[in-house]
Amino acid sequence: FYSPLDESAYAADFVFRGGVVGPLGREDYLDTMEKLAVYRAFDLSANGFGFTVDPADPYSVRFFVRNSGKHVGPWQPWGALPPTPLSPRPGQDLVRGPTEAAMLTFDPSSLAVR
């Protein structure tokens, strides 16, 4: 989301489960994130806070993010059509996202994200 993907950081059985999107297996998730290419159009920081180990699963960490940054390049989140990307506008390029809950679960044998 914030930078080019490092495919080696995702376990073979990785599954993304979002509030609206998902579940997506590893390959579908990587493909979707590359097509969205948020990292190319925005310079964002996650601003993670409130990290805590899940008491029911010592390999899971729960936390919050509230991304912020700037819209720095054209972005076309809807795919190839219509061929009109959203471009940054002077004075309207700052981004402050909503607070979101997140969780990472690590594979205990390799510490890759599950």
Side-chain angles (χ1 to χ4, degrees), residues 43-59:
D43 181 11
L44 297 174
S45 296
N47 304 313
F49 62 97
F51 292 85
T52 187
V53 174
D54 186 325
D57 181 356
Y59 293 104

Side-chain angles (χ1 to χ4, degrees), residues 34-81:
E34 188 55 39
K35 285 178 180 171
L36 285 173
V38 171
Y39 67 90
R40 288 190 190 122
F42 297 89
D43 181 11
L44 297 174
S45 296
N47 304 313
F49 62 97
F51 292 85
T52 187
V53 174
D54 186 325
D57 181 356
Y59 293 104
S60 291
V61 176
R62 295 181 181 267
F63 56 98
F64 299 97
V65 296
R66 186 182 305 125
N67 64 54
S68 63
K70 287 186 86 170
H71 186 177
V72 296
W75 187 47
Q76 193 156 337
W78 45 78
L81 297 172

Side-chain angles (χ1 to χ4, degrees), residues 13 33 54 84:
D13 61 350
M33 295 312 294
D54 186 325
T84 309

Side-chain angles (χ1 to χ4, degrees), residues 5-55:
L5 294 169
D6 175 4
E7 294 185 17
S8 69
Y10 297 86
D13 61 350
F14 170 87
V15 176
F16 174 82
R17 292 178 179 88
V20 177
V21 176
L24 293 175
R26 180 182 187 272
E27 295 308 316
D28 288 336
Y29 175 79
L30 295 171
D31 183 58
T32 299
M33 295 312 294
E34 188 55 39
K35 285 178 180 171
L36 285 173
V38 171
Y39 67 90
R40 288 190 190 122
F42 297 89
D43 181 11
L44 297 174
S45 296
N47 304 313
F49 62 97
F51 292 85
T52 187
V53 174
D54 186 325

